[in-house]
Amino acid sequence: LFCHLLSGIFRQRKMYRLLSMDYVTGGYNWFYFTNRVDKILNRSWNADKLYAVIHLTHDKYRSFCSCHGIQAGQALLQQLDQYLNSRMKRGELCAHVSEADYALLIRCNSREEASIRVKAWFDEIPTMIMQCHASFHAGICMTNYGDLGEKSKKKKRGKASSSLLYHNASIARDAI
């Protein structure tokens, strides 16, 4: 009975890993991003922290794949995923969402700080990625601070929706 219980737990974890893995980049996907961001933002001890949800898109990815092939395009996405994950701090997330789009959750104090950080990433992108003359665009959507009620001792952010924040970031994509 105990062995069956343990094997059930291991199968469940393996299934979750398979569901949350992106097969192109080997990193995380949209499913993992939405689940994890909702957990992070809805924790009471994170209510006093300000986060930014960033929609990062690689322009002209399809034309790159047309010229160089799909395998070269996937290798490019893997390099970009590794680069972005290396720039994430503890408690921040990066996930490959769709063809050439990434979703990022970073902790910052203001929109300007998030914008500066994203611009620094654009400047630091390795030359191997930039050989394809790629351009990137990003949109930022800031989470709000928790509401400080007089009766409540705890700060509350309210129910945050990661998909809504990402949608707002994708609308603001040309702001940077």
Side-chain angles (χ1 to χ4, degrees), residues 60-76:
K60 300 180 184 172
Y61 173 73
R62 284 189 176 194
S63 60
F64 176 81
C65 288
S66 296
C67 293
H68 301 285
I70 294 173
Q71 290 180 343
Q74 289 179 348
L76 182 72

Side-chain angles (χ1 to χ4, degrees), residues 2-43:
F2 185 69
C3 291
H4 290 296
L5 180 65
L6 284 178
S7 66
I9 291 171
F10 287 128
R11 276 184 283 174
Q12 182 182 9
R13 287 184 181 172
K14 185 177 180 180
M15 184 63 69
Y16 184 76
R17 269 188 252 122
L18 287 173
L19 286 173
S20 63
M21 186 180 91
D22 183 62
Y23 294 106
V24 174
T25 63
Y28 296 119
N29 64 7
W30 175 250
F31 174 76
Y32 179 84
F33 182 79
T34 55
N35 286 337
R36 193 77 185 124
V37 168
D38 287 341
K39 286 179 184 177
I40 289 171
L41 293 180
N42 292 323
R43 288 184 178 146

Side-chain angles (χ1 to χ4, degrees), residues 118-167:
V118 170
K119 286 178 184 176
W121 291 340
F122 288 167
D123 294 339
E124 292 176 5
I125 289 178
T127 57
M128 187 180 236
I129 294 173
M130 292 308 288
Q131 285 177 352
C132 64
H133 305 289
S135 61
F136 296 91
H137 285 93
I140 299 173
C141 180
M142 300 298 295
T143 62
N144 53 0
Y145 281 113
D147 182 23
L148 300 173
E150 292 180 19
K151 296 180 181 178
S152 176
K153 293 181 182 178
K154 291 186 178 181
K155 298 177 182 180
K156 295 181 181 178
R157 185 187 311 272
K159 188 75 173 158
S161 169
S162 58
S163 57
L164 180 63
L165 291 170
Y166 180 75
H167 176 72

Side-chain angles (χ1 to χ4, degrees), residues 102-117:
Y102 285 86
L104 304 141
L105 176 76
I106 63 170
R107 191 165 47 190
C108 56
N109 295 323
S110 67
R111 182 179 176 80
E112 290 77 27
E113 181 183 336
S115 178
I116 289 169
R117 195 166 162 196

Side-chain angles (χ1 to χ4, degrees), residues 55-62 77 80 96-102 136-137 166:
H55 171 254
L56 180 71
T57 187
H58 177 211
D59 293 337
K60 300 180 184 172
Y61 173 73
R62 284 189 176 194
L77 289 176
L80 184 59
H96 182 234
V97 175
S98 65
E99 189 175 76
D101 297 334
Y102 285 86
F136 296 91
H137 285 93
Y166 180 75

